[in-house]
Amino acid sequence: MSQYQDNIAHGEHAHEGGMDKKAIWSVFGVLLALTCLEFLIALGFVHHWQILAKGALVNTIYIVLTLVKAYYIVAFFMHLKFEKSSFIVTVAIVFIFIIYFIVLMLVEGGFLAGAFQEHQLFPNK
């Protein structure tokens, strides 16, 4: 029997790349800790104790924590960490272009919203 069939017969998957129960629970623990930290910042530091004010700092903290959580989800649960580096680079380049185009559309949309002139027949409402 081939190696693949042996793995399937024993309930193993060849694409898992070393993810055992301990690794899955450790990644779950990291994601749970990051989520708890986000709730602590939102409900404790910002709203209850008012240590931090809503603004750019809090938004930056949320964005960084969300990106770290997204990395863990993509790397471990979607098995991207165990892929070849060329595939990882390809996916990263596509992701960067998508983010670039979203930012580009938001900037252009913001410019066009302020660039139109008010006319009697077509009011900007």
Side-chain angles (χ1 to χ4, degrees):
M1 207 180 320
S2 71
Q3 179 68 25
Y4 179 75
Q5 290 172 342
D6 288 339
N7 289 344
I8 297 301
H10 292 88
E12 299 172 3
H13 297 282
H15 70 278
E16 286 186 289
M19 283 292 288
D20 56 348
K21 287 184 182 181
K22 183 179 179 181
I24 291 172
W25 282 108
S26 66
V27 172
F28 172 75
V30 169
L31 291 173
L32 181 65
L34 289 172
T35 304
C36 290
L37 181 62
E38 286 179 341
F39 272 97
L40 179 69
I41 291 171
L43 299 177
F45 293 151
V46 175
H47 293 292
H48 185 67
W49 300 307
Q50 297 178 348
I51 296 171
L52 294 173
K54 293 179 185 177
L57 176 66
V58 174
N59 289 341
T60 304
I61 292 171
Y62 288 147
I63 290 170
V64 168
L65 290 174
T66 303
L67 289 176
V68 171
K69 284 171 55 174
Y71 165 76
Y72 270 92
I73 291 169
V74 170
F76 291 101
F77 291 131
M78 298 174 79
H79 303 285
L80 191 60
K81 183 173 181 160
F82 309 110
E83 294 289 339
K84 293 183 179 181
S85 61
S86 59
F87 180 70
I88 294 172
V89 169
T90 303
V91 171
I93 289 173
V94 170
F95 181 71
I96 289 169
F97 274 117
I98 289 171
I99 297 297
Y100 171 73
F101 287 132
I102 289 172
V103 170
L104 186 68
M105 284 187 263
L106 289 173
V107 169
E108 287 294 320
F111 171 76
L112 289 176
F116 290 128
Q117 296 178 359
E118 186 82 28
H119 294 288
Q120 285 183 330
L121 295 176
F122 304 106
N124 292 339
K125 291 185 181 180

